[in-house]
Amino acid sequence: MKTLKINFFISSFFVFCFLSCNQKKEQKAEQTVNVQPEFFLDLVDLQSKNKLGKDTVVTVSNDPVYHKTKKYHAVNALLLLKNEIDLSKVDIKNTLIVFECIDGYKPEMPLELFLKTNPFLAFKDVDAPKGSNWEKIIKNGNEMNADPFYLVYTTAPTEDQEYKWPYNIIKFRFESKSKNIEALQPKDDETAMKGFVLFQKQCITCHAINGIGGEMGPELNYPKSVTEYWKENELVDYIVDPASFRNKAKMPTLGITKQESQEIVSYLKYMAKNKKT
Ligand code: HEC
């Protein structure tokens, strides 16, 4: 909360300066300009302080991780968010909510969508076997559990890829939609642009470019771009099917076509010429 307030103060201050230096309308500025504070919620910290809110039991039909109907002990993630931040101060349409997970996985979704969908933070599976909080999850042949939290929704269509259902989640973070896009968008190259759109959808949750993006997989651009040490045709094939290169590949096969992979590689080549300095 403290960081939030300070950041909020600093951003308000800059917005105020900007407006008063540039415009005559400064009187109205306070009401019309939505400031975008850097905001994050440390869920584990809140739990240790008993500040997550009321426990409840929710039912999720067709749970996308367990592929069946599940019941969880959970807290209401929306109430939690509203307790910690004044959403009327947030530019909701231009904000992404990013879910940070223990292994560096960072899926994100539009905040607007998140607010509409009855999100709950599950902390225990009602059907868990004795001695565990969860029925086990099998991923890449490994047994996992969802500790400390698994984000579920009671009213989201589970087949809709825009909704993210991360487990092992530890933080919520707000990010401005335009920030990533401005930094990573190719401006003058059409094929690279197609690759960029695919990259935003399929890859950025796990991989960073110039330090922006997930950390579950390696950074792909800096200091050396993958396009500088992979043969191009093999890189294209790898992105389509990592398991054909690596035993027990940690990168999933995402179902992208060779053509799409080529577009992504064009984008990666473009970014190799635009490293952060
Ligand atoms: C769920 C997380 C995840 C997603 C999504 C993902 N990757 Fe990966 N990726 C990994 C991990 C983890 C590795 C490390 C290698 C391994 O063990 O498979 C990796 C490795 C790579 C490598 C090899 C890097 C090197 O130098 O060895 C490339 C290239 C790559 N990914 C590109 C992509 C692209 C392009 C996309 C999107 C189409 C993508 N990845 C989506 C997790 C992911």
Side-chain angles (χ1 to χ4, degrees):
M1 273 317 276
K2 212 170 185 185
T3 1
L4 167 63
K5 275 192 190 134
I6 292 167
N7 280 330
F8 186 73
F9 176 74
I10 294 170
S11 14
S12 317
F13 178 72
F14 279 117
V15 168
F16 179 73
C17 288
F18 175 78
L19 289 163
S20 43
C21 304
N22 289 286
Q23 304 194 7
K24 296 163 225 140
K25 293 184 261 173
E26 68 233 58
Q27 251 94 20
K28 276 189 122 187
E30 281 296 331
Q31 301 123 48
T32 51
V33 175
N34 277 323
V35 282
Q36 182 63 75
E38 267 287 308
F39 169 69
F40 76 89
L41 269 190
D42 183 330
L43 302 169
V44 179
D45 183 54
L46 286 172
Q47 186 180 40
S48 72
K49 292 177 179 149
N50 246 332
K51 285 171 70 178
L52 286 178
K54 251 207 222 146
D55 294 0
T56 171
V57 171
V58 295
T59 302
V60 177
S61 44
N62 204 3
D63 182 289
V65 170
Y66 289 100
H67 307 290
K68 56 183 177 183
T69 297
K70 293 286 292 176
K71 277 191 163 64
Y72 301 105
H73 298 282
V75 294
N76 186 316
L78 213 51
L79 290 183
L80 172 64
L81 206 57
K82 285 180 177 164
N83 257 340
E84 297 293 324
I85 186 169
D86 178 357
L87 288 171
S88 70
K89 296 268 188 341
V90 177
D91 181 358
I92 290 172
K93 278 201 169 8
N94 289 312
T95 300
L96 297 171
I97 181 163
V98 183
F99 310 113
E100 296 193 11
C101 302
I102 291 173
D103 56 6
Y105 183 55
K106 282 188 201 168
E108 62 189 31
M109 66 191 263
L111 180 60
E112 201 177 13
L113 190 65
F114 182 81
L115 297 178
K116 280 201 286 221
T117 335
N118 293 328
F120 286 86
L121 269 181
F123 56 89
K124 193 172 173 16
D125 187 334
V126 169
D127 303 316
K130 266 215 171 91
S132 167
N133 284 335
W134 310 92
E135 250 191 300
K136 65 184 178 220
I137 300 167
I138 306 284
K139 193 177 156 199
N140 297 328
N142 297 318
E143 270 186 30
M144 318 260 304
N145 70 50
D147 277 337
F149 301 106
Y150 170 33
L151 182 66
V152 301
Y153 311 83
T154 52
T155 56
T158 52
E159 66 288 352
D160 186 335
Q161 300 280 321
E162 261 215 288
Y163 293 95
K164 298 297 165 4
W165 298 69
Y167 48 86
N168 305 141
I169 178 175
I170 48 177
K171 275 184 190 162
F172 287 165
R173 183 183 294 279
F174 284 6
E175 251 172 36
S176 156
K177 264 189 194 170
S178 52
K179 194 180 108 199
N180 282 357
I181 291 182
E182 268 159 32
L184 298 182
Q185 189 169 30
K187 302 206 165 62
D188 42 20
D189 180 324
E190 223 176 274
T191 320
M193 189 62 204
K194 282 190 192 161
F196 166 73
V197 173
L198 289 164
F199 192 88
Q200 291 283 313
K201 250 201 211 148
Q202 301 269 23
C203 321
I204 203 163
T205 49
C206 293
H207 291 285
I209 299 266
N210 292 346
I212 300 171
E215 289 165 13
M216 187 173 180
E219 150 87 43
L220 297 179
N221 200 49
Y222 179 82
K224 271 212 181 238
S225 161
V226 284
T227 61
E228 292 163 335
Y229 59 83
W230 278 78
K231 285 187 209 142
E232 183 164 343
N233 61 329
E234 297 200 338
L235 187 55
V236 171
D237 290 344
Y238 176 86
I239 292 168
V240 171
D241 185 16
S244 67
F245 284 72
R246 289 184 178 153
N247 187 26
K248 295 197 176 169
K250 293 201 192 82
M251 173 165 156
T253 296
L254 298 159
I256 57 177
T257 64
K258 196 157 174 171
Q259 157 96 35
E260 289 170 329
S261 181
Q262 185 64 61
E263 287 163 2
I264 292 171
V265 170
S266 301
Y267 170 62
L268 293 172
K269 281 166 76 181
Y270 177 97
M271 290 311 286
K273 291 180 260 144
N274 293 278
K275 293 182 188 182
K276 73 167 179 193
T277 45

